Amino acid sequence: MGLLNPSTTEFAAPVSARHAAMRRPRQLPMLPLAIVSADLVIVSVSALVATASRVHLSFLFDEATDVDAVVRLVGAYLVTAWLVVLAIAGAYAPSHLGAGTLEYKRVLSASAATAGFVGIVCYLAKFQLSRGFFVLFFAIGTPVLIISRHLLRRVIHALRSRGRLLSRVVIAGSPQHVDEVASVIDRESWLGYEMVGALTPVAVSDGLTPGGVSVIGRPSGLVEALQAAKADVVIFAAGAFSTAADFRRAVWALEERRVQVIVVPSLTDVSEDRIRVRPVAGLPLVHLERPQSQQAGRWLKRSFDVIGSAALLVFASPLLLAVALAVRLHDGGPVLFRQTRVGRDGREFECLKFRSMEVNAEQRLDALNALRDGGNTVMFKMVEDPRITRPGRIIRRFSLDELPQLWNVLQGDMSLVGPRPPLPHEVEQYHSDVMRRLRVRPGMTGLWQVSGRSDLSWEETVRLDLYYVDNWSMVQDLAILARTLQAVLGSRGAY
């Protein structure tokens, strides 16, 4: 699922030292039960609201004889059926809670399956279920179920980031692969893993891997090491065992113990949607679907861009006018800043922004290059750029300066979601791998914007953009747009 980042293997301090004093509660085993209880409340309330609101759909559907009586008769069965289908679809599987989009997809597919099942049963049984109630029941319940999962996920992530609900984890593998996995665990604290040590097949100096992870034993002594570390999870990375038979015996040795086994394949920055595991004669073959860069340029995404940008231009027109007046009245200069950017397949276009800097900002750029902030050595960013005007600070803080790019989206030069549109001189510094960023239309927002924007290093920016290009999906676009509002309001990395 793209958890590894090979470019980041160094730690500020040994992982074991940073976690030595942490003795937090482990992951709550009752979390799935809590989610079931929340879903029960949501589905039940949705049924009550749909019953009470049925009268407001009388202009669409004929008035039923007695909606209340019918719902009292079958309401409990409808609620139970929805929860059962959610369980069958795996919406309560602990391994899918709190990360990735699979949890949301399963809730959505289970809700659609329940609606279809109820509709077919009512048709075959000739049961007179109010159509207005049916529409409202699922139209209200489905989005609320997804929203509740998102809110619960945010609570879980916040608690994990504060050292709560952690699972103690041991990584087995070669020192280099241990460091790769440990770097992700260290960076993504919301995963809820507390590093307690590593098992390496080779001896290491000072009892630490190059990245600073404490080595507590060898994979051959797996059971004893896990018992001594009181580990909840063991992650097997590459190099843990020399043969498949040794790995199989290790898993056998753990079958009587409450330890979760995770295997990290030698795949990085690959989304779960592109991975299919198909066992053949006892050999688990991992099938990897083709990168999705071509799909990101086809009609579905383009239609979404056209409709979305047109609607946003209409609804945001008062705000666009207000910002334009503020920029113009401040110093009498031009309202728009036009800059040549590189788009899909290397084609250049004129990118539009509200001017947030002084009129002679471009002429002052060379003098400021030596004062740049942060670790991004390709894109120029400064925390306190002296060229920014007073209204410019406000509109940049909330990314209002980028609203004119909606016109670029409507014209087809950009997309609502995609990699950042680079400057021509930036593209000249690209090596062959980075050129893949140009296989899709650049976006007004993207993974890098919602992951820290200007606070990110160049390497991390490239990694996120390439992940987006190779693993595009419409669901991911919608998730990025939802996260964009939070990133903009929080002003993280906006300068």
Side-chain angles (χ1 to χ4, degrees):
M1 284 184 58
L3 289 180
L4 301 184
N5 179 13
S7 65
T8 307
T9 56
E10 296 299 324
F11 291 77
V15 173
S16 58
R18 287 201 303 278
H19 292 295
M22 297 177 63
R23 290 296 178 265
R24 309 294 194 214
R26 298 183 183 183
Q27 179 63 280
L28 290 177
M30 303 300 286
L31 181 59
L33 181 59
I35 296 178
V36 172
S37 302
D39 287 356
L40 174 60
V41 173
I42 290 170
V43 175
S44 300
V45 172
S46 298
L48 295 176
V49 173
T51 303
S53 304
R54 162 64 181 86
V55 66
H56 298 298
L57 292 184
S58 57
F59 67 95
L60 290 177
F61 304 107
D62 296 333
E63 195 67 43
T65 54
D66 192 348
V67 176
D68 292 342
V70 172
V71 172
R72 281 196 296 269
L73 178 64
V74 300
Y77 297 105
L78 292 176
V79 172
T80 302
W82 200 338
L83 295 180
V84 169
V85 176
L86 283 168
I88 294 174
Y92 302 117
S95 58
H96 299 304
L97 299 178
T101 60
L102 187 57
E103 179 183 3
Y104 300 137
K105 291 178 181 178
R106 290 189 171 182
V107 171
L108 185 60
S109 61
S111 300
T114 305
F117 173 75
V118 171
I120 292 173
V121 169
C122 290
Y123 174 77
L124 294 178
K126 297 182 179 180
F127 184 79
Q128 297 299 317
L129 181 65
S130 167
R131 289 176 293 170
F133 167 82
F134 176 85
V135 170
L136 287 171
F137 181 46
F138 291 101
I140 294 172
T142 301
V144 175
L145 282 174
I146 295 176
I147 292 172
S148 70
R149 294 297 182 101
H150 176 69
L151 294 177
L152 180 61
R153 176 176 294 191
R154 292 191 61 181
V155 171
I156 293 173
H157 290 179
L159 291 173
R160 287 174 173 174
S161 298
R162 290 169 173 78
R164 303 280 185 175
L165 307 181
L166 300 183
S167 297
R168 295 168 61 83
V169 61
V170 170
I171 306 176
S174 67
Q176 293 77 18
H177 287 97
V178 166
D179 285 342
E180 289 180 356
V181 178
S183 68
V184 176
I185 293 175
D186 187 70
R187 183 180 70 241
E188 311 292 347
S189 57
W190 56 269
L191 289 171
Y193 292 140
E194 176 187 354
M195 274 291 305
V196 295
L199 305 175
T200 60
V202 295
V204 294
S205 60
D206 301 325
L208 299 173
T209 66
V213 182
S214 176
V215 177
I216 60 175
R218 301 287 182 90
S220 56
L222 176 67
V223 175
E224 295 78 8
L226 295 180
Q227 186 174 0
K230 298 181 180 179
D232 305 305
V233 180
V234 56
I235 299 178
F236 292 106
F241 298 99
S242 57
T243 66
D246 291 337
F247 172 73
R248 184 170 63 248
R249 296 187 190 100
V251 175
W252 287 344
L254 297 175
E255 65 180 342
E256 299 297 331
R257 301 180 181 276
R258 297 178 61 86
V259 177
Q260 182 182 5
V261 176
I262 299 176
V263 179
V264 179
S266 298
L267 298 172
T268 62
D269 295 322
V270 179
S271 71
E272 61 191 21
D273 295 329
R274 293 176 54 205
I275 296 177
R276 300 289 184 273
V277 180
R278 298 184 178 93
V280 177
L283 182 65
L285 301 180
V286 179
H287 292 246
L288 188 62
E289 303 294 339
R290 297 176 62 185
Q292 299 298 301
S293 59
Q294 292 183 350
Q295 297 296 327
R298 294 189 175 174
W299 68 270
L300 177 61
K301 182 175 174 65
R302 181 60 190 147
S303 299
F304 180 77
D305 286 339
V306 170
I307 296 173
S309 60
L312 288 172
L313 279 170
V314 172
F315 288 117
S317 55
L319 182 59
L320 289 166
L321 179 60
V323 174
L325 286 174
V327 173
R328 183 70 173 181
L329 294 176
H330 174 69
D331 57 12
V335 171
L336 293 177
F337 174 68
R338 304 170 185 270
Q339 190 175 48
T340 300
R341 299 274 180 148
V342 180
R344 185 182 180 188
D345 297 328
R347 291 191 294 268
E348 295 185 352
F349 69 98
E350 191 176 64
C351 184
L352 303 177
K353 298 179 74 172
F354 280 127
R355 184 175 58 85
S356 60
M357 293 186 176
E358 299 171 352
V359 178
N360 64 341
E362 290 295 291
Q363 287 72 33
R364 298 179 59 187
L365 181 61
D366 291 339
L368 295 173
N369 257 315
L371 304 176
R372 69 172 63 193
D373 297 313
N376 198 322
T377 58
V378 177
M379 297 185 297
F380 177 84
K381 294 290 181 180
M382 290 187 70
V383 176
E384 296 292 340
D385 195 321
R387 301 171 299 165
I388 300 177
T389 62
R390 188 167 56 211
R393 295 191 185 280
I394 298 175
I395 64 176
R396 285 168 73 98
R397 178 182 178 186
F398 298 103
S399 299
L400 300 179
D401 58 321
E402 298 178 2
L403 287 178
Q405 292 173 15
L406 289 170
W407 181 251
N408 290 124
V409 175
L410 196 60
Q411 287 186 312
D413 296 322
M414 294 180 63
S415 174
L416 290 176
V417 182
R420 170 189 171 275
L423 293 164
H425 74 83
E426 294 172 354
V427 175
E428 292 174 0
Q429 302 178 57
Y430 285 2
H431 57 75
S432 58
D433 289 350
V434 186
M435 291 297 291
R436 285 188 63 84
R437 299 174 80 227
L438 304 180
R439 298 194 66 174
V440 300
R441 290 185 179 90
M444 292 183 62
T445 185
L447 271 181
W448 78 279
Q449 289 96 324
V450 300
S451 302
R453 290 192 275 186
S454 303
D455 290 335
L456 299 177
S457 66
W458 170 246
E459 291 75 16
E460 190 68 9
T461 300
V462 170
R463 187 184 72 84
L464 291 172
D465 282 344
L466 294 184
Y467 178 89
Y468 175 84
V469 171
D470 288 342
N471 301 285
W472 175 84
S473 72
M474 201 68 238
V475 173
Q476 181 179 227
D477 272 9
L478 295 174
I480 291 173
L481 288 172
R483 292 173 58 190
T484 297
L485 180 61
Q486 178 184 352
V488 168
L489 293 178
S491 302
R492 180 187 174 194
Y495 46 81

